[in-house]
């Protein structure tokens, strides 16, 4: 992990886009800084009666285009630079797909796997108590991220309602459907990434059965992407989790892999075992990083042979690695576009909560596909027209929208 992922990895994207966008220098200067960044201590009484104080963060990066929007991450390596970078990326992600949100992010330094269910609930409710005055449906709307889920969003929603003495389902998204969540949120991130793959299929005249895919990270985003690709006839040849991966050049049994992961928490024995570095170096058509940041760095980028990268994870390429790929034939569909399906359906959830409506699953899928196809083509066309890598084009597109709002 670089010393500060915000200054090392996030800000350079802004500087690169600024050269091609219509934004004024004052707008760029404002976008170099978060509107608000807060650190809180979160005391939790553990099951054995002892007290543990956790550190939590919330960053409201920009509200220029609407309420800040962004998940809450529970991870031992959460740090201020990472939270700020993720909030910056959310700002540009929401602008890329044109939904009326700004960007935010939160996190707690914790390994949630070490906590009991009661301790996890106590921590989640305490996080909301510590930050409730800064968050709400009209100013900053949290959501799940790595190691947080619908149950945790449900606890947080309930805590917010208790504090505010009313029902405010639009406070947080990614809730259980029974608590005001939207149908289709589960696989929305993967479905958005898959919509990008489908647009590329049209542009490149691909026959899915000839296209091989490797996926690093087999959690929410990775598993659903594998399933959607498999159902559409693509050949998913490798998947991995934090323990390592499995590879079969003839295609994995994706359903069995998902079932094994769900029932045992582990990947099944299929094909041959590989480690995460070997997965990244596979000679495949499409590589999908769907784990954490900085999976591909200057040290392993030369080994990447995939023709297309679809970044389901946030920030999976370091800046150095990105520069190498930008000069190569490899097409990188950047994170702020490829994984924007999640926040798009979060926006649908917030919209339904505020209107009292409840959409059918097919309505969610159709509207999501419409947003993703339009956004992918806007960015792809801009990249072609200006001769830019897709990532820079994406930031230019988003920056133009931010400039419209700020100027
Ligand atoms: P998750 O916790 O469900 O899954 C993460 C997966 O990555 C797990 O399978 C884990 O074992 C694996 N992993 C962790 N470290 C790894 C390593 N070093 N090598 C290989 N695999 C490793 O998380 P998720 O929700 O699927 O999120 C994955 C990525 O997608 C994150 O970068 C997240 O920010 C991004 N993302 C997720 C969503 C969403 O809606 N879930 C939305 C936008 C972006």
């Amino acid at each position: 992990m670089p010393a500060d992922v915000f200054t090392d990895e996030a800000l350079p994207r802004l500087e690169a886009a600024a050269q091609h966008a219509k934004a004024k220098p004052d707008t760029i200067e404002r976008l170099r800084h978060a509107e608000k960044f807060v650190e809180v201590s979160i005391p939790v009484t553990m099951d054995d009666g002892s007290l543990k104080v956790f550190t939590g963060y919330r960053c409201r990066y920009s509200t220029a285009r609407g309420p800040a929007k962004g998940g809450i991450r529970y991870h031992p390596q959460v740090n201020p630079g990472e939270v700020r970078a993720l909030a910056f990326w959310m700002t540009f992600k929401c602008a890329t797909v044109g939904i009326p949100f700004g960007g935010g992010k939160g996190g707690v330094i914790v390994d949630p796997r070490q906590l009991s269910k009661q301790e996890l609930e106590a921590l989640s409710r305490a996080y909301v108590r510590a930050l409730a005055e800064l968050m709400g449906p009209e100013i900053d709307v949290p959501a799940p991220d790595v190691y947080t889920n619908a149950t945790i969003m449900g606890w947080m929603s309930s805590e917010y309602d208790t504090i505010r003495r009313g029902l405010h389902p639009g406070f947080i998204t990614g809730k259980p459907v029974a608590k005001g969540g939207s149908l289709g949120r589960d696989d929305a991130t993967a479905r958005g990434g898959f919509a990008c793959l489908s647009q590329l299929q049209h542009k490149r005249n691909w026959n899915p059965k000839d296209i091989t895919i490797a996926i690093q990270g087999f959690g929410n985003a990775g598993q659903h992407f594998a399933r959607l690709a498999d159902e559409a006839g693509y050949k998913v040849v490798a998947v991995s989790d934090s323990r390592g991966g499995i590879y079969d050049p003839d295609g994995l049994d994706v359903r069995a892999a998902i079932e094994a992961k769900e029932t045992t928490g582990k990947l099944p024995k299929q094909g041959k075992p590989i480690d995460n570095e070997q997965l990244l170096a596979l000679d495949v058509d499409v590589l999908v990083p769907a784990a954490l940041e900085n999976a591909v760095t200057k040290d392993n980028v030369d080994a990447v042979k995939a023709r297309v990268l679809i970044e389901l994870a946030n920030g999976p390429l370091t800046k150095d690695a990105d520069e190498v790929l930008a000069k190569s034939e490899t097409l990188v569909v950047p994170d702020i576009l490829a994984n924007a399906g999640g926040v798009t359906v979060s926006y649908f959830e917030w919209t339904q909560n505020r209107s009292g409506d409840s959409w059918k699953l097919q309505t969610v899928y159709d509207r999501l596909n419409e947003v993703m196809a339009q956004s992918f083509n806007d960015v792809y066309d801009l990249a072609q027209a200006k001769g830019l890598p897709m990532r820079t084009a994406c930031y230019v597109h988003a920056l133009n929208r931010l400039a419209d709002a700020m100027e």
Side-chain angles (χ1 to χ4, degrees), residues 73 75 86 90 93 105 113 144-148 185-186 188-190 216-223 240-244 261 276 289-293 295 311-316 335 339-343:
R73 178 173 291 198
H75 197 274
L86 291 164
M90 286 304 296
K93 189 183 298 186
K105 202 79 183 189
R113 291 168 298 188
D145 190 66
V146 175
Y147 295 142
T148 53
R185 179 62 184 84
D186 273 11
T189 300
Q216 186 206 35
F218 208 53
N220 173 292
Q223 277 184 39
S240 68
D241 64 16
S242 55
R243 296 184 191 90
K261 188 77 186 159
N276 269 293
L292 297 179
E293 291 98 83
E311 296 185 332
L312 278 192
N314 285 309
D335 48 7
N339 70 29
V343 73

Side-chain angles (χ1 to χ4, degrees), residues 165-245:
R165 298 241 168 261
L167 297 177
H168 302 272
F171 156 65
I172 203 162
T173 60
K175 300 179 293 296
V177 173
K179 290 279 291 174
S182 178
L183 294 174
R185 179 62 184 84
D186 273 11
D187 64 356
T189 300
R191 201 168 276 277
F194 181 72
C196 296
L197 182 73
S198 303
Q199 291 304 309
L200 271 173
Q201 179 186 328
H202 294 308
K203 291 197 187 297
R204 298 196 165 185
N205 280 322
W206 279 345
N207 187 346
K209 74 176 178 33
D210 301 329
I211 302 298
T212 52
I213 302 181
I215 303 170
Q216 186 206 35
F218 208 53
N220 173 292
Q223 277 184 39
H224 284 300
F225 189 92
R227 176 180 56 79
L228 291 166
D230 182 58
E231 284 169 3
Y234 286 91
K235 210 191 272 185
V236 178
V237 295
V239 299
S240 68
D241 64 16
S242 55
R243 296 184 191 90

